[in-house]
């Protein structure tokens, strides 16, 4: 299965400027309204993401073609909202957002253990927004491990216009230098958040059952978790209402048989979360290998 994900955020600098200024001067809900047109454009003219999502809903949820198209339209619109929220949560507009954190005690217990820990998530909802929602409420520092391939001009403009996020970024490098940064962060009792649901070319994968099919998941995160031997939890942040988020965390894992067994636990939990919020699955490529 060839996946074309390159870690880059789609959109032009002009588009980011428009939404940032819309949020700042006209409010989040105005930006949501304009997003209807933008998501409609992508539904009509972005053939590959549209085809991939429709296929995902038909295979994974046994939807009819009509149901799959409707779910795809909702998916693209909610995805646009989460990107707007990503900007708004770094501005004074943040005050309109609310959230509920189910099992926040899991992170507190990880903090008390003094070893740091891993937060495994997926491209379901937006855990980055959770980090900005939590702000000072979580005293542990959060690092997000990700491909740092966003267009630099866009990143610079967003930081100048909205301020930096509440988390630190650890970019994944070919020279594996990110492993040193992870080790240093864990030594300081910090959290490492990462997504474990997308594969890239040339890496080892696990092929596992997922929503009525077989899909590949990267082995690297699970091998890394075994290597560092620190507490681990599965976390998610999905929209529930216009400006409300539901955050969740599983009880921390401290032992597991093997990386593949951990991957199986992760995928089983991910499947439950996707079933609960099917239109917040933001993987826009063919996901199944069969």
């Amino acid at each position: 299965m060839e996946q074309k994900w390159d870690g880059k955020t789609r959109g032009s600098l002009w588009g980011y400027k428009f939404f940032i200024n819309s949020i700042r001067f006209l409010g989040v809900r105005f930006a949501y309204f304009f997003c209807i047109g933008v998501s409609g454009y992508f539904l009509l003219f972005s053939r590959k993401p549209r085809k991939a999502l429709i296929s995902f809903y038909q295979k994974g949820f046994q939807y009819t073609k009509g149901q799959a198209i409707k779910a795809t339209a909702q998916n693209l619109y909610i995805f646009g909202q989460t990107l707007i929220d990503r900007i708004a949560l770094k501005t004074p507009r943040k005050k309109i957002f609310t959230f509920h954190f189910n099992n926040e005690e899991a992170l507190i217990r990880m903090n008390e253990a003094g070893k740091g820990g891993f937060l495994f998530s997926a491209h379901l909802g937006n855990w980055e927004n959770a980090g900005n929602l939590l702000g000072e409420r979580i005293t542990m520092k959060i690092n997000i491990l990700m491909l740092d391939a966003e267009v630099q001009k866009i990143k610079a403009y967003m930081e100048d216009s909205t301020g930096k996020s509440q988390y630190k970024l650890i970019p994944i490098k070919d020279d594996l230098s990110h492993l040193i940064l992870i080790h240093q962060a864990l030594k300081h009792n910090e959290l490492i958040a990462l997504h474990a649901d997308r594969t890239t070319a040339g890496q080892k994968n696990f092929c596992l059952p997922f929503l009525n099919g077989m899909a590949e998941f990267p082995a690297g995160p699970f091998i890394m978790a075994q290597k560092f031997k620190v507490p681990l939890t599965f976390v998610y942040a999905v929209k529930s209402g216009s400006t409300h988020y539901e955050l969740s965390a599983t009880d921390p894992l401290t032992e597991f048989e093997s990386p593949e067994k951990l991957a199986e636990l992760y995928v089983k939990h991910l499947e439950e979360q996707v079933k609960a919020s099917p239109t917040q699955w933001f993987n826009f490529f063919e996901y199944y290998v069969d």
Side-chain angles (χ1 to χ4, degrees):
M1 178 178 59
E2 184 181 4
Q3 298 180 5
K4 299 297 185 181
W5 171 248
D6 59 6
K8 292 184 179 179
T9 297
R10 292 181 179 272
S12 65
L13 180 58
W14 180 90
Y16 277 91
K17 286 182 177 180
F18 174 83
F19 275 104
I20 288 172
N21 288 321
S22 295
I23 292 165
R24 177 177 291 160
F25 298 112
L26 298 173
V28 172
R29 289 182 175 84
F30 173 84
Y32 284 171
F33 177 76
F34 192 84
C35 186
I36 296 173
V38 176
S39 60
Y41 172 86
F42 279 99
L43 178 66
L44 293 174
F45 300 108
S46 291
R47 185 180 65 84
K48 287 184 178 180
R50 180 185 68 235
K51 181 182 177 182
L53 283 174
I54 290 173
S55 175
F56 173 77
Y57 288 121
Q58 287 184 300
K59 186 174 182 65
F61 288 89
Q62 307 294 299
Y63 284 178
T64 65
K65 183 71 174 288
Q67 290 172 325
I69 292 172
K70 181 179 179 181
T72 296
Q74 293 173 332
N75 180 301
L76 293 172
Y77 178 53
I78 297 173
F79 179 64
Q81 286 188 327
T82 65
L83 296 182
I84 290 168
D85 297 347
R86 176 186 177 188
I87 298 170
L89 285 166
K90 292 182 278 186
T91 74
R93 298 286 184 180
K94 176 179 178 178
K95 62 186 179 183
I96 75 167
F97 290 90
T98 59
F99 70 93
H100 171 256
F101 196 159
N102 181 31
N103 201 19
E104 185 176 352
E105 296 80 9
L107 301 193
I108 295 172
R109 292 204 300 274
M110 290 172 72
N111 184 33
E112 291 172 346
K115 298 179 179 179
F118 286 108
L119 310 178
F120 274 35
S121 192
H123 292 85
L124 176 75
N126 194 309
W127 181 254
E128 179 183 341
N129 288 348
N132 288 316
L133 280 166
L134 289 169
E136 301 301 321
R137 180 161 159 176
I138 295 295
T139 57
M140 294 179 73
K141 291 183 179 179
I142 298 177
N143 304 266
I144 292 188
L145 182 68
M146 62 186 296
L147 295 174
D148 189 23
E150 284 188 309
V151 179
Q152 292 303 315
K153 196 180 293 185
I154 292 175
K155 286 184 68 178
Y157 181 79
M158 286 187 67
E159 290 187 356
D160 289 344
S161 302
T162 65
K164 293 189 176 182
S165 301
Q166 297 289 334
Y167 55 82
K168 295 190 296 183
L169 174 68
I170 296 180
I172 298 174
K173 302 286 188 181
D174 291 337
D175 62 5
L176 303 181
S177 59
H178 56 278
L179 295 177
I180 297 173
L181 297 176
I182 291 171
H183 178 67
Q184 291 173 346
L186 293 174
K187 282 181 65 177
H188 291 92
N189 196 26
E190 298 178 9
L191 298 175
I192 310 294
L194 65 142
H195 292 150
D197 62 328
R198 284 182 181 171
T199 63
T200 56
Q203 68 178 182
K204 180 181 178 181
N205 302 317
F206 295 132
C207 189
L208 299 169
F210 177 67
L211 288 173
N212 296 312
M214 298 296 292
E216 288 184 335
F217 294 85
F222 307 102
I223 294 171
M224 183 172 60
Q226 185 181 53
K227 174 182 175 61
F228 284 104
K229 300 186 188 308
V230 296
L232 178 149
T233 179
F234 304 146
V235 296
Y236 294 95
V238 296
K239 282 181 74 78
S240 175
S242 180
T243 55
H244 182 79
Y245 276 81
E246 288 290 328
L247 282 54
S248 64
T250 60
D251 290 335
L253 288 168
T254 55
E255 295 181 2
F256 47 89
E257 292 181 30
S258 66
E260 187 164 10
K261 289 295 183 183
L262 176 60
E264 290 173 1
L265 288 173
Y266 167 82
V267 172
K268 182 178 179 181
H269 188 264
L270 174 61
E271 189 175 67
E272 294 171 356
Q273 296 297 310
V274 177
K275 286 178 179 178
S277 303
T279 56
Q280 296 190 50
W281 174 253
F282 302 138
N283 282 303
F284 306 119
F285 50 83
E286 294 291 343
Y287 208 76
Y288 293 107
V289 296
D290 61 341

